[in-house]
Amino acid sequence: ELLRHASLVRLAYSGRDGSPRVVPVGFHWNGRDVVVCTAPTAPKVKALSARPSVALTIDTADTPATAKALLIRGIASIDIVEGVPAEYIEGSAKALDDPQRQEFEAQVRQTYERMARIAARLEEADQVRSVGPGTDLRLSVAGRRFDASAGKFNMLDAASKTPIIGG
């Protein structure tokens, strides 16, 4: 749910000087990677080229009782692509209505001849954890192979097929 519907992810990485950075960015989840697009000259492009380890957080709500959070660790790969990647438009569309999206897309296509497409590939996990009011459920997934799932079958399916929270 958070990967499909949230409009921002907080991207944490090590800057070129080795100090930590956390930036909120728009993103698109393609079922395998969290994709972030930016200008090829953005500082994060050079930093991630040198140190590709990332952490991402998506969170919602303002109180512990209603909060949802997803914590992801992974490795970023960067491709400089011609034009504007479709994932950039798709990620932005989550926060825009149709007229706003069309205007945004036209402006972006005029602005960028090339973009950096940053794909954060999720690391293997050995544990899935679900925390909520009165709940702290941990499931061992060490040594298991999983496929991405939309949780169409049951809660365990959604949790066990998305091993993206490392322990």
Side-chain angles (χ1 to χ4, degrees), residues 11 13 30 32-38 44-56 73-81 85 87 115-123:
L11 171 65
Y13 62 97
N30 67 14
R32 185 170 184 170
D33 302 317
V34 174
V35 178
V36 173
C37 299
T38 189
K44 67 179 135 297
V45 174
K46 287 185 181 178
L48 289 169
S49 295
R51 295 182 182 96
S53 293
V54 295
L56 302 108
R73 288 186 299 242
I75 302 296
S77 63
I78 302 169
D79 293 308
I80 305 301
V81 299
E87 293 109 334
M115 291 192 86
R117 181 185 179 276
I118 302 167
R121 176 70 41 95
L122 310 177
E123 285 185 348

Side-chain angles (χ1 to χ4, degrees), residues 99-154:
Q100 290 172 323
R101 176 189 172 158
Q102 291 171 4
E103 183 178 337
F104 172 79
E105 185 172 351
Q107 289 175 353
V108 167
R109 293 196 186 282
Q110 288 178 351
T111 303
Y112 295 105
E113 291 180 20
R114 300 181 316 144
M115 291 192 86
R117 181 185 179 276
I118 302 167
R121 176 70 41 95
L122 310 177
E123 285 185 348
E124 295 292 323
D126 56 5
Q127 184 181 95
V128 173
R129 183 175 180 200
S130 178
V131 179
T135 302
D136 188 351
L137 177 64
R138 297 169 193 246
L139 302 170
S140 173
V141 295
R144 297 190 176 122
R145 184 177 182 279
F146 298 94
D147 298 316
S149 171
K152 295 177 185 175
F153 303 106
N154 58 49

Side-chain angles (χ1 to χ4, degrees), residues 4-19:
R4 287 191 315 262
H5 299 295
S7 58
L8 290 177
V9 63
R10 287 164 187 41
L11 171 65
Y13 62 97
S14 294
R16 291 185 69 200
D17 62 359
S19 62

